[in-house]
């Protein structure tokens, strides 16, 4: 019997690694000014960290990851640019975590892990916005987890990991387990260029 299973309408997630870049900018990210968030963790007072001149090579690297994700992995048109709109750093102490959330006013979001302690067991999780196959009203238990039946998928990042995902995807981070702090840089993007309807000029949109 010949058969084929298509991962149709999947949500592609980009995971890349650059430990050298993370280690290079760890001291500068660590020395930013932070304030304690109401829930968990510390948030940089600067919400445009990558606009600082000293972080330009880091911004260029992240932009290159975004470019490859959009134009190579997803094969979208080359004359549309996804650019970073805002960026902020976070610190998680032991037992700090990020509850489930998504990002508004953004198309692609991401996290660059500046420093993760080697003994930290926390994970970055993505949560399904929709039913995978069957409506949630049906509690059908899977025999074995796979990408076709997943309602949640967890990634164990390390220092230098960059994760890119559509901004509407709900995500979270489990509690940090190390006595040493974890540092991350998060960012949002938007688009500039011409979005043209293949079949009609009526729906063409120019975004500057």
């Amino acid at each position: 019997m010949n058969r084929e299973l298509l991962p149709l309408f999947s949500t592609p997630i980009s995971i890349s690694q650059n430990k050298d870049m993370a280690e290079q900018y760890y001291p500068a990210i660590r020395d930013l000014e932070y304030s304690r968030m109401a829930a968990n963790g510390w948030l940089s007072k600067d919400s445009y960290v990558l606009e600082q001149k000293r972080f330009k090579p880091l911004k260029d690297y992240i932009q290159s990851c975004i470019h490859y994700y959009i134009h190579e992995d997803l094969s979208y048109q080359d004359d549309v640019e996804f650019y970073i709109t805002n960026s902020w750093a976070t610190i998680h102490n032991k037992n700090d975590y990020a509850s489930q959330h998504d990002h508004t006013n953004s198309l692609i979001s991401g996290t660059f892990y500046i420093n993760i302690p080697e003994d930290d067991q926390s994970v970055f999780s993505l949560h399904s916005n929709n039913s995978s196959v069957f409506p949630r009203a049906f509690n059908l238990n899977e025999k074995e987890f796979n990408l076709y039946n997943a309602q949640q998928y967890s990634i164990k990042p390390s220092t230098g990991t960059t994760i890119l995902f559509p901004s509407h995807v709900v995500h979270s981070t489990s509690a940090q387990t190390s006595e040493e702090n974890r540092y991350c840089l998060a960012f949002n993007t938007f688009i500039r260029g011409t979005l043209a309807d293949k079949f009609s000029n009526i729906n063409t949109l120019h975004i500057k």
Side-chain angles (χ1 to χ4, degrees):
M1 178 178 66
N2 293 323
R3 60 185 304 275
E4 183 178 9
L5 188 63
L6 297 176
L8 193 60
F9 309 132
S10 61
T11 303
I13 307 299
S14 170
I15 306 171
S16 54
Q17 191 70 30
N18 191 330
K19 186 176 181 179
D20 290 342
M21 182 69 72
E23 291 177 341
Q24 178 182 346
Y25 285 97
Y26 171 47
I29 293 293
R30 181 190 57 203
D31 293 341
L32 293 171
E33 291 187 65
Y34 293 85
S35 57
R36 183 72 182 177
M37 291 185 281
N40 284 290
W42 298 77
L43 179 68
S44 64
K45 293 184 177 181
D46 186 356
S47 56
Y48 300 92
V49 169
L50 290 175
E51 297 308 308
Q52 295 186 29
K53 186 176 180 180
R54 58 179 170 162
F55 291 120
K56 186 179 185 306
L58 177 56
K59 180 181 179 181
D60 290 343
Y61 166 71
I62 293 174
Q63 281 284 179
S64 70
C65 292
I66 295 168
H67 179 90
Y68 196 95
Y69 176 50
I70 297 296
H71 302 296
E72 300 299 328
D73 291 335
L74 305 183
S75 198
Y76 284 115
Q77 61 190 91
D78 291 324
D79 58 349
V80 167
E81 176 191 5
F82 281 72
Y83 65 96
I84 296 170
T85 53
N86 56 337
S87 50
W88 60 97
T90 61
I91 305 173
H92 277 172
N93 306 137
K94 186 176 182 179
N95 297 322
D96 284 343
Y97 63 93
S99 57
Q100 293 187 28
H101 66 285
D102 58 9
H103 294 200
T104 58
N105 301 323
S106 175
L107 294 173
I108 298 298
S109 296
T111 300
F112 179 61
Y113 285 84
I114 295 292
N115 181 69
I116 296 185
E118 291 187 3
D119 61 340
D120 177 27
Q121 299 302 311
S122 65
V123 294
F124 178 89
S125 295
L126 300 137
H127 308 270
S128 173
N129 293 359
N130 304 297
S131 302
S132 56
V133 179
F134 303 105
R136 293 178 185 269
F138 294 89
N139 188 21
L140 191 63
N141 295 316
E142 66 274 3
K143 295 187 299 181
E144 183 179 353
F145 169 84
N146 60 43
L147 292 179
Y148 302 103
N149 60 36
Q151 291 294 314
Q152 175 180 319
Y153 187 85
S154 295
I155 299 166
K156 181 64 182 78
S158 59
T159 297
T161 299
T162 301
I163 303 174
L164 300 175
F165 51 92
S167 300
H168 67 271
V169 174
V170 175
H171 53 284
S172 64
T173 302
S174 63
Q176 213 266 98
T177 62
S178 175
E179 297 291 343
E180 183 185 348
N181 293 338
R182 180 181 65 217
Y183 290 80
C184 298
L185 178 72
F187 49 89
N188 288 326
T189 70
F190 206 66
I191 194 172
R192 63 167 62 100
T194 299
L195 307 183
D197 191 312
K198 292 181 179 180
F199 307 103
S200 172
N201 290 330
I202 295 174
N203 297 321
T204 296
L205 178 64
H206 303 282
I207 304 176
K208 297 181 179 180

